[in-house]
Amino acid sequence: MYIVFEGIDGAGKSTQIQMLGQWLEDNGFEVETLVEPTDSQVGKLIRKMLQRPDAKTDEIQNILALLFAADRLCIMDKLEDESKIIISDRSFISSLAYQNNPEWVEVLNKHAKKPDLLLLLDLDVKTSVARTSGEDTFENEEFLANVKENYLKIAKDYEHKIIDANNGVNKVSSDIKKAVAPYLGLCPDCIL
Ligand code: TYD
């Protein structure tokens, strides 16, 4: 099973992935977690480019869309391993939600693996800005409000669950487990 976590910056994806992964392992599943951008050379270049003051211009966005798609190729073989549950922190769906040019992004990611389950951690934009440093070019309120709206639209195209990420860590974690349980033959009512 390929489970993808998406959500605006500060939504708590990495914490929740760790908690879900641990719970699945405790229930006897083999789990592999992935993060996009990856730690490949392409991923490192992406992180550098995201820091540029002109990161949101169409030119840089087009380059970033290509780099994100190339970076994704580095992990494609891992996604084919059906013996494990793969949990990914972001995917091509981030490119659709964040980059300026959705048509171009769709073409570039035509062959990207679609999630079996998309977990969208839905967080208020003001909370996102408060939780993140605010220094990153990608972390201003108007921009994040647009990304959040994109996410809610895009999610409808995939098997998905929207999780209220404004709650405390443990409540969010139990909502996620309840959402995932039926897909793996686990009992959602047994989760506290
Ligand atoms: P991430 O590592 O999740 O953020 P953080 O540095 O807060 O941990 O991702 C870095 C940024 O890259 C994030 O703002 C979202 C953006 N991004 C895209 O714009 N397109 C993409 O395809 C992906 C995977 C990330």
Side-chain angles (χ1 to χ4, degrees):
M1 188 177 185
Y2 176 43
I3 302 173
V4 165
F5 276 70
E6 292 282 354
I8 58 175
D9 308 76
K13 295 181 292 299
S14 55
T15 306
Q16 293 300 335
I17 286 171
Q18 207 250 322
M19 291 170 87
L20 177 66
Q22 187 60 58
W23 178 72
L24 290 172
E25 281 177 357
D26 294 346
N27 278 280
F29 293 95
E30 207 177 324
V31 175
E32 172 145 15
T33 55
L34 301 174
V35 183
E36 293 192 26
T38 71
D39 60 2
S40 71
Q41 290 302 317
V42 183
K44 289 187 179 115
L45 180 58
I46 289 172
R47 290 193 184 279
K48 248 181 157 170
M49 288 197 73
L50 286 171
Q51 302 303 319
R52 290 170 61 123
D54 59 351
K56 281 189 208 152
T57 60
D58 285 347
E59 189 190 351
I60 302 296
Q61 284 287 309
N62 283 339
I63 296 170
L64 275 168
L66 275 164
L67 290 174
F68 278 119
D71 188 40
R72 222 152 266 143
L73 290 177
C74 305
I75 49 170
M76 228 164 96
D77 56 332
K78 292 193 177 159
L79 302 185
E80 298 310 320
D81 187 346
E82 290 184 354
S83 67
K84 294 177 185 166
I85 296 176
I86 315 281
I87 309 178
S88 185
D89 188 336
R90 298 192 182 277
S91 69
F92 70 97
I93 294 169
S94 284
S95 287
L96 288 171
Y98 278 81
Q99 268 63 70
N100 293 352
N101 34 20
E103 296 82 14
W104 171 230
V105 168
E106 282 217 21
V107 173
L108 291 176
N109 290 280
K110 209 165 75 186
H111 301 294
K113 191 174 166 80
K114 312 288 175 287
D116 297 309
L117 178 62
L118 161 64
L119 294 169
L120 177 55
L121 302 197
D122 191 35
L123 182 72
D124 284 346
V125 167
K126 283 193 191 312
T127 314
S128 164
V129 173
R131 282 187 192 174
T132 54
S133 67
E135 281 165 22
D136 194 301
T137 325
F138 276 83
E139 287 168 7
N140 71 60
E141 225 174 289
E142 196 189 331
F143 177 80
L144 290 174
N146 183 45
V147 175
K148 178 179 156 97
E149 200 181 306
N150 292 342
Y151 266 137
L152 291 168
K153 274 190 222 143
I154 297 162
K156 296 197 180 97
D157 294 337
Y158 303 93
E159 178 75 13
H160 74 281
K161 294 276 185 271
I162 294 170
I163 307 289
D164 186 349
N166 300 291
N167 293 316
V169 175
N170 290 329
K171 164 77 173 126
V172 175
S173 179
S174 101
D175 287 349
I176 288 171
K177 289 171 193 164
K178 282 179 185 158
V180 170
Y183 293 88
L184 296 168
L186 298 169
C187 162
D189 298 330
C190 309
I191 299 157
L192 297 175

